[in-house]
Amino acid sequence: MSDGQIRIGIGGWTYPPWRAVFYPEKFPQERELEYASSQLGAIEINATFYGRQKPKSWETWEKTVPDGFQFAIKGSRFCVMRSRLCEGAEGIGNFFAQGFAALGPKLGPILWQFAGRRKFDADDIAGFIDLLPEKLDGIRLRHAIEPRSESFRDEKFFDLCRARNIAIVFEDSDEYPCIEADTADFAYARLQRMREEVATGYEDSTLDGFAERARNWVGEGRDAYIFMINGAKVRAPAAALALQERLR
């Protein structure tokens, strides 16, 4: 079994407090994606949770980032906030019709984030998973589910994900449970406890622990996507770069 590939990233690229902290002084705003993608291996796009992006945007982003870089895309709220997920075929169809197939091999996993109030319902989740396409315009899709309720710590949920190669998000959070299970050929982590008073967001010992976990994931033959995503967001790039440095 060969080692997988690790991509470390952040959420989005347009965030004013990053200017002169992550981005160089007086760096042109329209080139921030170009810069961020030259420093990191992935970016999670959150805007897709709230609305569709223009086809032209996907084409521009694909041209801007280097080969090997990938975008993770957050699934639409209209798909994950309905009472019965299994009845969301139309919303899922609309979400996948917005043009991100233009990313080609730069398309990373699709993240489906559930609300904390959603409890595990085996039939509903099975129906939802059945709606998730395996390919988009010939591109093999990877899906990751982020459950935010302890009720998803259930072997039935793990089996549903395993059957479709869906990753269960490893969540480092004060608010939500961390449910770790090997259900896919990739791991997806969202690290959400950065602190502003720590220059790298997380203490060295914690970053060392995340690096070791990442090595274990890829040593098992899985790819790994690790995003510094919440907490003191101003520290996200520094945290991502510090973790990336440990894994060079």
Side-chain angles (χ1 to χ4, degrees):
M1 183 184 290
S2 61
D3 284 1
Q5 182 169 0
I6 302 172
R7 289 183 176 88
I8 313 290
I10 53 178
W13 60 89
T14 305
Y15 185 59
W18 289 344
R19 290 166 195 155
V21 174
F22 172 45
Y23 298 117
E25 192 84 46
K26 298 181 179 173
F27 193 78
Q29 198 175 323
E30 65 272 13
R31 292 182 57 200
E32 287 178 346
L33 174 59
E34 177 190 335
Y35 182 85
S37 63
S38 75
Q39 301 296 305
L40 300 164
I43 282 176
E44 184 185 282
I45 298 179
N46 193 53
T48 45
F49 181 74
Y50 299 100
R52 291 163 64 97
Q53 307 302 300
K54 295 174 183 173
K56 185 72 179 168
S57 295
W58 297 109
E59 294 166 14
T60 300
W61 297 340
E62 188 280 330
K63 290 184 178 75
T64 300
V65 303
D67 291 344
F69 182 90
Q70 288 190 349
F71 292 99
I73 299 175
K74 196 170 182 182
S76 168
R77 59 182 170 168
F78 300 109
C79 302
V80 294
M81 296 183 81
R82 55 189 309 125
S83 56
R84 294 285 293 164
L85 296 179
C86 64
E87 295 170 359
E90 184 179 357
I92 287 174
N94 288 337
F95 174 74
F96 282 98
Q98 64 183 286
F100 54 72
L103 295 176
K106 296 171 185 177
L107 173 61
I110 313 299
L111 169 69
W112 302 99
Q113 184 186 80
F114 296 164
R117 64 181 177 277
R118 184 172 300 283
K119 303 292 187 273
F120 178 57
D121 174 329
D123 291 339
D124 189 36
I125 298 301
F128 172 74
I129 286 173
D130 283 345
L131 296 177
L132 301 180
E134 295 188 21
K135 289 187 175 179
L136 178 66
D137 292 358
I139 304 166
R140 175 179 170 249
L141 297 175
R142 281 172 154 174
H143 299 278
I145 291 178
E146 182 180 5
R148 291 183 150 187
S149 161
E150 190 63 42
S151 63
F152 281 84
R153 199 183 301 276
D154 188 310
E155 287 296 335
K156 290 177 188 167
F157 175 54
F158 301 166
D159 287 343
L160 287 171
C161 290
R162 208 168 273 127
R164 277 290 307 277
N165 193 45
I166 293 172
I168 297 169
V169 172
F170 175 91
E171 185 150 34
D172 183 55
S173 163
D174 290 326
E175 211 172 334
Y176 305 111
C178 182
I179 300 173
E180 188 173 8
D182 178 359
T183 59
D185 63 5
F186 70 104
Y188 195 114
R190 301 181 88 238
L191 309 183
Q192 303 179 58
R193 286 199 273 209
M194 288 170 289
R195 305 200 327 269
E196 191 161 351
E197 67 271 19
V198 180
T200 53
Y202 280 101
E203 301 284 358
D204 285 348
S205 59
T206 305
L207 289 170
D208 291 342
F210 290 142
E212 185 60 30
R213 192 178 293 275
R215 288 188 196 98
N216 290 339
W217 286 332
V218 299
E220 294 162 358
R222 290 194 274 171
D223 291 333
Y225 297 84
I226 303 172
F227 294 99
M228 299 294 178
I229 211 75
N230 219 326
K233 187 172 177 175
V234 69
R235 298 296 184 213
L241 290 169
L243 181 57
Q244 193 169 258
E245 188 58 37
R246 284 165 166 77
L247 291 163
R248 285 206 184 282

